[in-house]
Amino acid sequence: MKLKARSKKRRRTTARRRFILKRGKNVHARWKKRNKRSLTMVMKRRRSLRLKRRRIHRGVPPIGKLTVPVWEHPLVSIIIPVYNKWDYTYRCLVSIVEHTHDIPYEIIVVDDLSNDLTARIGQFVNPITVIRNQVKRGFLRNCNHGAAVSKGKYVLFLNNDTKVTPGWLAHLVVSAEKDATIGIIGSKLIYPDGKLQEAGGIVFNSGYAWNYGRLDSPDKHEYNYVKEVDYISGASLMIRKDIWQHVGGFDERFAPAYSEDVDIAFKVRQLGFKVVYQPKSVVVHYEGVSHGTDVKTGVKQYQVINHQKFKEKWAEVLQRHHLPVGEHLYWSRERSKDKKTIVIIDYGVPSYDKDAGSRTTYMYLKLFVDMGFNVKFMPDNFVKPEPYSSELEQLGIEIIHGPQNHNYYEQWILQHKDYLDYVLLNRPNISHKYIDLIKAHTRAKILYYGHDLHYVRELKRFGLENNRELLLSSNYYKSLEFDMFAKADIVLTCSESEKRIIDGHFPHKKATLLPAYFFEQTIPRDKTWEQRSGLLFIGGFSHSPNTDGIVWFCREILPIVVQAIPGIQLFIAGSNPPPEVLGLQSDRVIVKGFVSDQELRELYSTTKMAVIPLRYGAGVKGKTVEAMCHQMPLVATSTGIEGLQNISPTIEPKNTPQAFASEIIRLYHDNRLLDQKAEQSKQYVEMYFSKSKALASIQSAL
């Protein structure tokens, strides 16, 4: 390195000598003077740059300039009021850019005369709207000022001492877009150490506001479902712009800060809109950075002053609709005092696209929500599979989920026994674990829904296989089911034939016929019969009758059909196909396995007929009703259509291989008959499996 430096110095000296010889001493003097001036300027620039970097790095992470996406028509205007605390503000902005995608937004920073790098925010973050006050306004007026220039359909107030997480904004917007009755919606707030700061706010009748769940684990079930709350913290609060303008923004009587977020929640609710907590929107909040924690000094003292103002303003509402401090938190945390609570217990969270029983449970969970119930779900298997669990929680259903020990469920029931109005038990092998505890310790009315009579199903299978273990199983299930019928207040059944059995054995018990499935409307046909081909079988293969039925069809019925209709194909769709079903795969038989709802709709729209070749079972078959909802002509055995009211004019059962095959052959190429069968299916579903029919059945039962 030294040799290189000397060589470089010699070259400069040689060049200078040549210049002097060529131009003379006067030119040399001018050259020295000019270069000295240039060197001074360079040194000044370097020194200035070093100082600038040093100032920036005191409060800024060592990253480049932050570029914010630009949308001509932002959906959300994010208002961030700031006063100093540049490092927090910058980290907040970085997190917004990193974790906010697919939602058009704008950022409006309202600077309350900061004297740190915040005053030069435009040099580091661009493009954003910056409003720099000429006089100090305080937090509340800064929010109002920022909202006045916003362009979005929604205004979102975000503290500068926050960091947002992936999906935080999308979850708020999607919920608000789906439900026009939501006026305000806000985030789950957590501390930097991962503890919960707030899962919605509670206001007691004293006017005292409380952060629900403070310092607890944010993963507990009581903090992870969408719910109405008394208020949303202004640290991350989104409100519809038209409602904001209607109520006049934050009430300036609460300036400079505190109680304004609680007050606006009360005003929005007074207009008939909901204030909602969205747990999927997670925001880290460095609480107390802006105003400290001492309520005796500075801006923080207004927390006490404004509490009194708020209490006086809303005295009548507080006394009429809010509860005393610390009492009935079960109601206060979700504003459910005026709702009936129903607990649904089943083997697990319903995977509605995998088996018919789960689809039934899922449909009725949604119906109870629509009816205004406070709905809780208890999975007996302790599992919270996704996306099914999140879907329930986003509907507002709390999934009771704790340690994998039934003692936890028992403790929860005992702890909340005074709040339970109804308990809906599903399936005999699950329900018997809970019914005695519920009857002994709660005032809840118990509904029992067996899905089907298990003992009848096992008895029919015994008739086919002559396996004595099936007879023992049938007797076991009969004892369980009859015990449930005797103890339950209300028995629900989806099958007309099974209702007759229950009524015969328990004449004094109220047994209600409940549609196993219901639909808003039938699915229109979008393809002609000429555009369709093939047969379709749908069924979850965890249910043994489906395996038996399709194997029987492929071995005994399909060969007859192929002789009359060469080239015909059979499509088999359903979760968990066993080896004997997978072994049916061929050029003629296509085993699809599990398919999504979209793929299932495609199969229904491209095949000509559905087949229901079940030889044993009980209850109503979901595959039968679903096929009719898609206006599919179908051929079925007696078991495939059992339990359906007045079904014979629509579907005549075919129980032998020859009869089953002949019906397929008769219908397959006759478009007139196919149209007739499709129309009959449509009319049947509209009469017996509409949402209004299901609603009337539930109301009658309750």
Side-chain angles (χ1 to χ4, degrees), residues 63 66-69 78-82 85-100 105-110 118 121-122 124-130 158-164 168:
I63 61 173
L66 182 63
T67 301
V68 179
I78 302 173
I79 315 295
I80 306 177
V82 300
K85 308 298 180 184
W86 162 251
D87 49 344
Y88 286 97
T89 301
Y90 189 82
R91 284 198 294 264
C92 174
L93 294 170
V94 169
S95 71
I96 292 172
V97 173
E98 287 182 348
H99 300 313
T100 310
Y105 67 93
E106 64 172 343
I107 296 176
I108 301 172
V109 174
V110 188
T118 306
I121 190 172
F124 313 113
V125 184
N126 204 39
I128 59 173
T129 300
V130 179
L158 186 68
N159 279 17
N160 67 325
D161 57 343
T162 59
K163 287 176 70 175
V164 304
W168 75 289

Short mmCIF file of all heavy atoms in Angstrom, two decimals, residues 63 66-69 78-82 85-100 105-110 118 121-122 124-130 158-164 168:
data_model
loop_
_atom_site.label_atom_id
_atom_site.label_comp_id
_atom_site.label_asym_id
_atom_site.label_seq_id
_atom_site.Cartn_x
_atom_site.Cartn_y
_atom_site.Cartn_z
N ILE A 63 -31.49 2.41 6.96
CA ILE A 63 -32.03 1.98 5.68
C ILE A 63 -32.20 3.19 4.79
O ILE A 63 -32.09 4.33 5.23
CB ILE A 63 -33.39 1.27 5.86
CG1 ILE A 63 -34.41 2.22 6.50
CG2 ILE A 63 -33.25 0.02 6.68
CD1 ILE A 63 -35.79 1.66 6.56
N LEU A 66 -37.66 5.83 2.31
CA LEU A 66 -38.87 5.01 2.29
C LEU A 66 -39.83 5.54 1.24
O LEU A 66 -40.22 6.71 1.28
CB LEU A 66 -39.53 5.02 3.67
CG LEU A 66 -40.80 4.17 3.83
CD1 LEU A 66 -40.49 2.70 3.61
CD2 LEU A 66 -41.40 4.39 5.22
N THR A 67 -40.23 4.68 0.30
CA THR A 67 -41.17 5.05 -0.75
C THR A 67 -42.53 4.44 -0.46
O THR A 67 -42.66 3.23 -0.30
CB THR A 67 -40.67 4.58 -2.13
OG1 THR A 67 -39.39 5.16 -2.38
CG2 THR A 67 -41.64 5.01 -3.22
N VAL A 68 -43.54 5.28 -0.38
CA VAL A 68 -44.90 4.85 -0.08
C VAL A 68 -45.67 4.68 -1.39
O VAL A 68 -45.60 5.55 -2.27
CB VAL A 68 -45.61 5.88 0.82
CG1 VAL A 68 -47.04 5.45 1.12
CG2 VAL A 68 -44.83 6.07 2.12
N PRO A 69 -46.41 3.58 -1.56
CA PRO A 69 -47.20 3.40 -2.79
C PRO A 69 -48.22 4.52 -2.96
O PRO A 69 -48.71 5.09 -1.98
CB PRO A 69 -47.90 2.05 -2.58
CG PRO A 69 -47.11 1.36 -1.53
CD PRO A 69 -46.54 2.43 -0.65
N ILE A 78 -54.98 6.81 6.26
CA ILE A 78 -54.34 6.52 7.55
C ILE A 78 -53.83 7.84 8.12
O ILE A 78 -52.93 8.47 7.57
CB ILE A 78 -53.18 5.52 7.38
CG1 ILE A 78 -53.70 4.22 6.74
CG2 ILE A 78 -52.52 5.23 8.72
CD1 ILE A 78 -52.59 3.24 6.37
N ILE A 79 -54.42 8.25 9.24
CA ILE A 79 -54.07 9.51 9.89
C ILE A 79 -53.14 9.23 11.06
O ILE A 79 -53.49 8.48 11.98
CB ILE A 79 -55.32 10.25 10.42
CG1 ILE A 79 -56.44 10.24 9.37
CG2 ILE A 79 -54.97 11.65 10.89
CD1 ILE A 79 -56.16 11.01 8.14
N ILE A 80 -51.94 9.82 11.02
CA ILE A 80 -50.96 9.61 12.10
C ILE A 80 -50.60 10.96 12.71
O ILE A 80 -49.84 11.74 12.12
CB ILE A 80 -49.69 8.92 11.57
CG1 ILE A 80 -50.04 7.62 10.83
CG2 ILE A 80 -48.72 8.63 12.72
CD1 ILE A 80 -48.84 6.91 10.23
N PRO A 81 -51.16 11.30 13.87
CA PRO A 81 -50.77 12.54 14.55
C PRO A 81 -49.43 12.34 15.26
O PRO A 81 -49.23 11.31 15.92
CB PRO A 81 -51.91 12.75 15.55
CG PRO A 81 -52.48 11.40 15.79
CD PRO A 81 -52.21 10.56 14.59
N VAL A 82 -48.50 13.30 15.13
CA VAL A 82 -47.16 13.12 15.70
C VAL A 82 -46.69 14.38 16.40
O VAL A 82 -47.06 15.50 16.04
CB VAL A 82 -46.13 12.73 14.61
CG1 VAL A 82 -46.52 11.43 13.93
CG2 VAL A 82 -45.97 13.83 13.57
N LYS A 85 -40.57 12.13 18.65
CA LYS A 85 -40.49 10.66 18.63
C LYS A 85 -40.29 10.14 17.21
O LYS A 85 -40.97 9.23 16.74
CB LYS A 85 -41.75 10.03 19.26
CG LYS A 85 -42.09 10.55 20.64
CD LYS A 85 -40.98 10.27 21.64
CE LYS A 85 -41.34 10.80 23.02
NZ LYS A 85 -40.24 10.62 24.00
N TRP A 86 -39.32 10.76 16.50
CA TRP A 86 -39.06 10.43 15.10
C TRP A 86 -38.79 8.94 14.89
O TRP A 86 -39.25 8.34 13.92
CB TRP A 86 -37.90 11.25 14.58
CG TRP A 86 -37.29 10.70 13.33
CD1 TRP A 86 -36.09 10.12 13.18
CD2 TRP A 86 -37.90 10.67 12.03
NE1 TRP A 86 -35.88 9.72 11.88
CE2 TRP A 86 -36.98 10.05 11.16
CE3 TRP A 86 -39.13 11.09 11.53
CZ2 TRP A 86 -37.25 9.84 9.81
CZ3 TRP A 86 -39.40 10.88 10.19
CH2 TRP A 86 -38.46 10.27 9.34
N ASP A 87 -38.02 8.34 15.80
CA ASP A 87 -37.66 6.94 15.60
C ASP A 87 -38.90 6.05 15.59
O ASP A 87 -39.01 5.12 14.78
CB ASP A 87 -36.66 6.47 16.66
CG ASP A 87 -37.09 6.81 18.07
OD1 ASP A 87 -37.98 7.66 18.22
OD2 ASP A 87 -36.53 6.24 19.03
N TYR A 88 -39.87 6.31 16.48
CA TYR A 88 -41.11 5.53 16.50
C TYR A 88 -41.93 5.78 15.23
O TYR A 88 -42.46 4.84 14.62
CB TYR A 88 -41.95 5.87 17.73
CG TYR A 88 -41.39 5.30 19.01
CD1 TYR A 88 -40.60 6.08 19.86
CD2 TYR A 88 -41.67 3.98 19.38
CE1 TYR A 88 -40.09 5.55 21.03
CE2 TYR A 88 -41.16 3.45 20.56
CZ TYR A 88 -40.36 4.24 21.38
OH TYR A 88 -39.85 3.72 22.54
N THR A 89 -42.03 7.03 14.84
CA THR A 89 -42.80 7.37 13.65
C THR A 89 -42.24 6.67 12.42
O THR A 89 -42.98 6.10 11.61
CB THR A 89 -42.81 8.89 13.42
OG1 THR A 89 -43.37 9.53 14.56
CG2 THR A 89 -43.62 9.26 12.19
N TYR A 90 -40.91 6.70 12.29
CA TYR A 90 -40.30 6.11 11.10
C TYR A 90 -40.54 4.60 11.07
O TYR A 90 -40.89 4.03 10.03
CB TYR A 90 -38.80 6.40 11.09
CG TYR A 90 -38.13 6.00 9.80
CD1 TYR A 90 -38.18 6.83 8.69
CD2 TYR A 90 -37.48 4.78 9.68
CE1 TYR A 90 -37.59 6.45 7.50
CE2 TYR A 90 -36.89 4.39 8.50
CZ TYR A 90 -36.94 5.24 7.40
OH TYR A 90 -36.37 4.87 6.22
N ARG A 91 -40.36 3.94 12.21
CA ARG A 91 -40.60 2.50 12.26
C ARG A 91 -42.05 2.16 11.95
O ARG A 91 -42.35 1.16 11.31
CB ARG A 91 -40.20 1.93 13.62
CG ARG A 91 -38.69 1.79 13.82
CD ARG A 91 -38.39 0.83 14.97
NE ARG A 91 -38.84 1.36 16.23
CZ ARG A 91 -38.06 2.02 17.09
NH1 ARG A 91 -36.79 2.26 16.79
NH2 ARG A 91 -38.55 2.47 18.23
N CYS A 92 -42.97 3.00 12.42
CA CYS A 92 -44.39 2.81 12.13
C CYS A 92 -44.64 2.88 10.62
O CYS A 92 -45.32 2.02 10.05
CB CYS A 92 -45.21 3.88 12.85
SG CYS A 92 -46.96 3.87 12.44
N LEU A 93 -44.07 3.88 9.97
CA LEU A 93 -44.27 4.05 8.53
C LEU A 93 -43.66 2.89 7.75
O LEU A 93 -44.25 2.41 6.77
CB LEU A 93 -43.66 5.37 8.08
CG LEU A 93 -44.35 6.63 8.63
CD1 LEU A 93 -43.53 7.87 8.33
CD2 LEU A 93 -45.75 6.77 8.04
N VAL A 94 -42.48 2.45 8.17
CA VAL A 94 -41.85 1.31 7.51
C VAL A 94 -42.75 0.08 7.61
O VAL A 94 -42.95 -0.66 6.62
CB VAL A 94 -40.46 1.01 8.12
CG1 VAL A 94 -39.93 -0.33 7.63
CG2 VAL A 94 -39.47 2.12 7.76
N SER A 95 -43.33 -0.16 8.77
CA SER A 95 -44.19 -1.34 8.96
C SER A 95 -45.44 -1.25 8.09
O SER A 95 -45.92 -2.27 7.57
CB SER A 95 -44.57 -1.51 10.43
OG SER A 95 -45.47 -0.51 10.87
N ILE A 96 -45.98 -0.05 7.91
CA ILE A 96 -47.16 0.11 7.05
C ILE A 96 -46.83 -0.29 5.62
O ILE A 96 -47.55 -1.05 4.97
CB ILE A 96 -47.68 1.56 7.09
CG1 ILE A 96 -48.24 1.89 8.47
CG2 ILE A 96 -48.75 1.78 6.03
CD1 ILE A 96 -48.61 3.35 8.67
N VAL A 97 -45.71 0.21 5.11
CA VAL A 97 -45.31 -0.08 3.73
C VAL A 97 -45.02 -1.57 3.55
O VAL A 97 -45.40 -2.18 2.55
CB VAL A 97 -44.10 0.78 3.32
CG1 VAL A 97 -43.57 0.37 1.95
CG2 VAL A 97 -44.46 2.25 3.32
N GLU A 98 -44.37 -2.17 4.54
CA GLU A 98 -43.99 -3.58 4.43
C GLU A 98 -45.18 -4.53 4.53
O GLU A 98 -45.20 -5.59 3.90
CB GLU A 98 -42.98 -3.94 5.54
CG GLU A 98 -41.59 -3.37 5.31
CD GLU A 98 -40.62 -3.80 6.41
OE1 GLU A 98 -41.09 -4.33 7.44
OE2 GLU A 98 -39.41 -3.59 6.24
N HIS A 99 -46.19 -4.15 5.31
CA HIS A 99 -47.25 -5.11 5.65
C HIS A 99 -48.64 -4.72 5.14
O HIS A 99 -49.64 -5.32 5.57
CB HIS A 99 -47.32 -5.30 7.17
CG HIS A 99 -46.06 -5.82 7.76
ND1 HIS A 99 -45.36 -6.89 7.24
CD2 HIS A 99 -45.33 -5.41 8.85
CE1 HIS A 99 -44.28 -7.13 7.97
NE2 HIS A 99 -44.23 -6.24 8.94
N THR A 100 -48.73 -3.75 4.25
CA THR A 100 -50.03 -3.34 3.73
C THR A 100 -50.03 -3.50 2.22
O THR A 100 -49.36 -2.74 1.51
CB THR A 100 -50.33 -1.88 4.11
OG1 THR A 100 -50.11 -1.70 5.51
CG2 THR A 100 -51.77 -1.54 3.79
N TYR A 105 -54.36 2.87 -0.09
CA TYR A 105 -54.36 3.73 1.10
C TYR A 105 -53.52 4.98 0.85
O TYR A 105 -52.70 5.04 -0.06
CB TYR A 105 -53.83 2.97 2.32
CG TYR A 105 -52.36 2.59 2.24
CD1 TYR A 105 -51.37 3.43 2.78
CD2 TYR A 105 -51.95 1.40 1.66
CE1 TYR A 105 -50.02 3.08 2.72
CE2 TYR A 105 -50.62 1.04 1.59
CZ TYR A 105 -49.65 1.89 2.13
OH TYR A 105 -48.32 1.54 2.06
N GLU A 106 -53.74 5.97 1.69
CA GLU A 106 -52.89 7.15 1.73
C GLU A 106 -52.47 7.38 3.17
O GLU A 106 -53.16 6.95 4.10
CB GLU A 106 -53.64 8.38 1.21
CG GLU A 106 -54.83 8.79 2.05
CD GLU A 106 -55.44 10.12 1.64
OE1 GLU A 106 -54.77 10.88 0.91
OE2 GLU A 106 -56.59 10.41 2.06
N ILE A 107 -51.33 8.02 3.36
CA ILE A 107 -50.85 8.32 4.71
C ILE A 107 -50.84 9.84 4.88
O ILE A 107 -50.28 10.57 4.06
CB ILE A 107 -49.44 7.76 4.94
CG1 ILE A 107 -49.46 6.22 4.87
CG2 ILE A 107 -48.90 8.21 6.30
CD1 ILE A 107 -48.09 5.58 5.01
N ILE A 108 -51.47 10.28 5.97
CA ILE A 108 -51.49 11.71 6.31
C ILE A 108 -50.85 11.86 7.68
O ILE A 108 -51.38 11.36 8.67
CB ILE A 108 -52.93 12.25 6.32
CG1 ILE A 108 -53.58 12.06 4.94
CG2 ILE A 108 -52.94 13.72 6.73
CD1 ILE A 108 -55.06 12.39 4.91
N VAL A 109 -49.70 12.52 7.72
CA VAL A 109 -49.00 12.77 8.98
C VAL A 109 -49.29 14.21 9.41
O VAL A 109 -49.05 15.16 8.64
CB VAL A 109 -47.49 12.55 8.84
CG1 VAL A 109 -46.76 12.97 10.12
CG2 VAL A 109 -47.20 11.08 8.52
N VAL A 110 -49.82 14.36 10.61
CA VAL A 110 -50.11 15.70 11.14
C VAL A 110 -49.08 16.00 12.22
O VAL A 110 -49.09 15.39 13.29
CB VAL A 110 -51.54 15.78 11.70
CG1 VAL A 110 -51.87 17.21 12.08
CG2 VAL A 110 -52.55 15.24 10.70
N THR A 118 -38.61 14.75 12.67
CA THR A 118 -39.98 14.71 12.17
C THR A 118 -40.28 15.93 11.31
O THR A 118 -41.04 15.86 10.34
CB THR A 118 -40.97 14.65 13.35
OG1 THR A 118 -40.64 13.56 14.20
CG2 THR A 118 -42.40 14.48 12.85
N ILE A 121 -39.62 15.20 7.65
CA ILE A 121 -40.04 13.85 7.29
C ILE A 121 -40.09 13.64 5.79
O ILE A 121 -39.82 12.56 5.29
CB ILE A 121 -41.41 13.54 7.95
CG1 ILE A 121 -41.74 12.05 7.79
CG2 ILE A 121 -42.51 14.42 7.40
CD1 ILE A 121 -42.97 11.63 8.57
N GLY A 122 -40.40 14.69 5.03
CA GLY A 122 -40.49 14.57 3.58
C GLY A 122 -39.18 14.19 2.91
O GLY A 122 -39.18 13.69 1.78
N PHE A 124 -37.21 11.89 4.02
CA PHE A 124 -36.94 10.48 4.26
C PHE A 124 -38.10 9.57 3.84
O PHE A 124 -37.88 8.39 3.56
CB PHE A 124 -36.65 10.24 5.74
CG PHE A 124 -35.67 11.21 6.31
CD1 PHE A 124 -36.06 12.15 7.27
CD2 PHE A 124 -34.35 11.22 5.89
CE1 PHE A 124 -35.16 13.05 7.78
CE2 PHE A 124 -33.44 12.12 6.41
CZ PHE A 124 -33.84 13.04 7.35
N VAL A 125 -39.32 10.10 3.81
CA VAL A 125 -40.50 9.31 3.46
C VAL A 125 -41.30 10.08 2.42
O VAL A 125 -41.65 11.24 2.63
CB VAL A 125 -41.39 9.05 4.70
CG1 VAL A 125 -42.55 8.15 4.32
CG2 VAL A 125 -40.59 8.45 5.84
N ASN A 126 -41.60 9.41 1.31
CA ASN A 126 -42.31 10.10 0.24
C ASN A 126 -42.96 9.05 -0.68
O ASN A 126 -42.42 7.96 -0.84
CB ASN A 126 -41.31 10.96 -0.55
CG ASN A 126 -41.97 12.10 -1.27
OD1 ASN A 126 -42.88 12.72 -0.75
ND2 ASN A 126 -41.51 12.36 -2.47
N PRO A 127 -44.10 9.32 -1.29
CA PRO A 127 -44.91 10.53 -1.12
C PRO A 127 -45.97 10.32 -0.03
O PRO A 127 -46.68 9.32 -0.05
CB PRO A 127 -45.56 10.69 -2.48
CG PRO A 127 -45.69 9.29 -3.00
CD PRO A 127 -44.56 8.50 -2.42
N ILE A 128 -46.07 11.21 0.90
CA ILE A 128 -47.13 11.22 1.89
C ILE A 128 -47.60 12.66 2.04
O ILE A 128 -46.92 13.60 1.64
CB ILE A 128 -46.67 10.67 3.26
CG1 ILE A 128 -45.49 11.50 3.82
CG2 ILE A 128 -46.32 9.21 3.18
CD1 ILE A 128 -45.10 11.11 5.23
N THR A 129 -48.78 12.81 2.62
CA THR A 129 -49.29 14.15 2.92
C THR A 129 -48.82 14.53 4.32
O THR A 129 -49.07 13.79 5.28
CB THR A 129 -50.82 14.17 2.85
OG1 THR A 129 -51.24 13.79 1.54
CG2 THR A 129 -51.36 15.56 3.17
N VAL A 130 -48.14 15.67 4.42
CA VAL A 130 -47.65 16.15 5.71
C VAL A 130 -48.31 17.49 6.02
O VAL A 130 -48.23 18.43 5.22
CB VAL A 130 -46.12 16.30 5.73
CG1 VAL A 130 -45.66 16.82 7.10
CG2 VAL A 130 -45.45 14.98 5.41
N LEU A 158 -54.10 6.05 13.60
CA LEU A 158 -53.03 5.14 14.02
C LEU A 158 -52.00 5.93 14.82
O LEU A 158 -51.47 6.95 14.33
CB LEU A 158 -52.37 4.50 12.80
CG LEU A 158 -51.34 3.40 13.08
CD1 LEU A 158 -52.00 2.16 13.67
CD2 LEU A 158 -50.60 3.04 11.79
N ASN A 159 -51.72 5.49 16.03
CA ASN A 159 -50.67 6.14 16.82
C ASN A 159 -49.31 5.96 16.16
O ASN A 159 -49.04 4.92 15.54
CB ASN A 159 -50.63 5.57 18.24
CG ASN A 159 -51.68 6.17 19.14
OD1 ASN A 159 -52.64 6.78 18.67
ND2 ASN A 159 -51.52 5.98 20.44
N ASN A 160 -48.44 6.95 16.33
CA ASN A 160 -47.10 6.82 15.74
C ASN A 160 -46.23 5.85 16.52
O ASN A 160 -45.22 5.36 15.99
CB ASN A 160 -46.42 8.19 15.64
CG ASN A 160 -46.09 8.79 17.00
OD1 ASN A 160 -46.85 8.61 17.96
ND2 ASN A 160 -44.99 9.51 17.08
N ASP A 161 -46.60 5.51 17.75
CA ASP A 161 -45.81 4.55 18.53
C ASP A 161 -46.37 3.14 18.36
O ASP A 161 -46.58 2.40 19.32
CB ASP A 161 -45.76 4.94 20.01
CG ASP A 161 -47.13 5.07 20.65
OD1 ASP A 161 -48.12 5.18 19.90
OD2 ASP A 161 -47.22 5.07 21.89
N THR A 162 -46.63 2.77 17.09
CA THR A 162 -47.15 1.44 16.78
C THR A 162 -46.34 0.82 15.64
O THR A 162 -45.67 1.52 14.88
CB THR A 162 -48.63 1.50 16.34
OG1 THR A 162 -48.73 2.33 15.18
CG2 THR A 162 -49.53 2.01 17.43
N LYS A 163 -46.44 -0.50 15.55
CA LYS A 163 -45.92 -1.24 14.38
C LYS A 163 -47.02 -2.19 13.95
O LYS A 163 -47.51 -2.98 14.77
CB LYS A 163 -44.65 -2.01 14.75
CG LYS A 163 -43.42 -1.15 14.92
CD LYS A 163 -42.22 -1.97 15.37
CE LYS A 163 -41.73 -2.87 14.26
NZ LYS A 163 -40.48 -3.59 14.64
N VAL A 164 -47.40 -2.11 12.68
CA VAL A 164 -48.47 -2.97 12.19
C VAL A 164 -47.89 -4.29 11.72
O VAL A 164 -46.68 -4.41 11.48
CB VAL A 164 -49.27 -2.29 11.07
CG1 VAL A 164 -49.81 -0.95 11.54
CG2 VAL A 164 -48.42 -2.10 9.82
N TRP A 168 -52.95 -6.55 8.63
CA TRP A 168 -53.65 -5.74 9.64
C TRP A 168 -54.78 -4.91 9.03
O TRP A 168 -55.87 -4.83 9.58
CB TRP A 168 -52.66 -4.82 10.36
CG TRP A 168 -52.23 -3.65 9.51
CD1 TRP A 168 -51.43 -3.68 8.42
CD2 TRP A 168 -52.64 -2.29 9.67
NE1 TRP A 168 -51.29 -2.42 7.89
CE2 TRP A 168 -52.02 -1.55 8.64
CE3 TRP A 168 -53.45 -1.62 10.59
CZ2 TRP A 168 -52.20 -0.17 8.49
CZ3 TRP A 168 -53.63 -0.25 10.45
CH2 TRP A 168 -53.01 0.46 9.42
#
